[in-house]
Amino acid sequence: MTYENLNIAFNNGIALVTITREKALNALNTQTMLELQHFFSTDAYNHEGLKGVILTGAGEKAFVAGADITEFKGLSASEGQALAQRGQDVFFLVERFPKPVVAAVNGFALGGGCELAMACHLRVAGEKAKFGQPEVNLGLIPGYGGTQRLIQYIGKTKATELLMTADIIGATEAHQLGLVNYVVPSGAEIEKATELIEKIASKAPVAIANIISSVNAYFAENVDGFAFEVDAFGACCHTEDFQEGATAFLEKRKAVFTGK
Ligand code: CAA
């Protein structure tokens, strides 16, 4: 696929994915969603030696200012349902990606932008970043998982308030609420995200993939997370990296993991 709205740069095993619709504050139009879907299901998936993915937005103003509102006019109920379903499916690809995906939030993360950041495994916010779900201003509600993931991250009390008031919060408050992992000076988001991915890349890849799926299992419908963890633990025991990790500990040396 030729990417029109994503700039993808692989550097030392890390994919830096920049949404490049700066004039529209990186709003997620259909084409951008298709490109994200393609990237996470093929290019990123098949990239040998990939350590992780950083998602960010072009320019200093916005990470992503939401779904592209210009595509909303005249949307029927069934078209709206389909749009939300497609968006959720793309964001599940992000959330279920077996390598760490870190959002480097450099500005507005509103509506679908906040939802995209929440679908990532970790979030680094620049100090000028702003978060919110302002869909009720448009007569809508979030459609890309925002009503669910915001509660998962910050709890029902504050999530309900933000969803109903459309209030936009700054990076410090987002950090205090547990929505973001780190707040860094503006411009340092990618550096911090890289540092996080490098740290995670020094661990056993199969164990990391099982952390991601086990954490997701907590929130999955009809899944017993504890039973899922038992199976995931067993799957890790099956790996060469487990043998290496345990042996290295006993030999008092640093483990060298191969991902096998
Ligand atoms: N979709 C399409 N275009 C958008 C956009 C969006 N979500 N957000 C901003 N833009 C466009 C603006 O229309 C404007 O374009 P023009 O220059 O052609 O007029 C350009 O980006 C710059 O935006 P502003 O002039 O509005 O910039 P500002 O600094 O005055 O305001 C802002 C910034 C507060 C982020 C404001 O742009 C804004 O409120 N944007 C919309 C935010 C929003 O409502 N997001 C939710 C979308 S719905 C959704 O996401 C549903 C879902 O869950 C699936």
Side-chain angles (χ1 to χ4, degrees), residues 21-25 27 61 65-70 72 83 108 110-113 115 133-135 138 140-144 168:
R21 302 191 71 226
E22 191 176 346
K23 282 191 182 144
L25 303 188
K61 195 165 168 183
D68 192 318
I69 300 168
T70 63
F72 280 9
L83 179 133
F108 287 112
L110 302 181
E115 292 170 298
Q133 297 289 163
E135 285 87 348
L138 304 169
L140 279 176
I141 69 164
Y144 295 168
I168 291 173

Side-chain angles (χ1 to χ4, degrees), residues 3 33 151 173 251-252:
Y3 294 103
M33 292 298 273
I151 293 171
E173 187 175 357
E251 291 177 356
K252 301 194 186 304

Side-chain angles (χ1 to χ4, degrees), residues 120-194:
C120 296
H121 304 129
L122 301 168
R123 282 150 297 284
V124 174
E127 53 198 2
K128 289 191 201 139
K130 298 210 181 305
F131 297 82
Q133 297 289 163
E135 285 87 348
V136 290
N137 288 336
L138 304 169
L140 279 176
I141 69 164
Y144 295 168
T147 61
Q148 305 304 295
R149 290 197 182 94
L150 195 61
I151 293 171
Q152 292 170 7
Y153 287 120
I154 71 172
K156 186 176 176 186
T157 304
K158 195 66 189 176
T160 308
E161 181 189 335
L162 292 182
L163 290 162
M164 293 203 298
T165 60
D167 281 352
I168 291 173
I169 59 170
T172 305
E173 187 175 357
H175 186 236
Q176 284 162 352
L177 289 170
L179 185 56
V180 302
N181 298 81
Y182 293 95
V183 180
V184 297
S186 293
E189 301 89 351
I190 289 168
E191 189 185 332
K192 182 68 190 176
T194 303

Side-chain angles (χ1 to χ4, degrees), residues 203-207 236 238-247 255-260:
K203 320 298 176 196
V206 175
C236 291
H238 196 60
T239 63
E240 289 176 20
D241 278 348
F242 163 58
Q243 299 301 331
E244 164 64 7
T247 306
V256 180
F257 295 120
T258 59
K260 289 181 193 149

Side-chain angles (χ1 to χ4, degrees), residues 47-103:
H47 192 89
E48 209 171 313
L50 186 74
K51 294 175 183 167
V53 178
I54 300 172
L55 271 181
T56 195
E60 290 178 5
K61 195 165 168 183
F63 171 69
V64 168
D68 192 318
I69 300 168
T70 63
E71 293 185 347
F72 280 9
K73 218 159 165 250
L75 218 54
S76 69
S78 61
E79 287 166 342
Q81 245 180 313
L83 179 133
Q85 187 62 62
R86 280 197 304 270
Q88 288 196 7
D89 290 346
V90 175
F91 286 11
F92 276 131
L93 278 178
V94 176
E95 188 169 59
R96 293 170 186 166
F97 193 68
K99 306 272 168 72
V101 183
V102 184

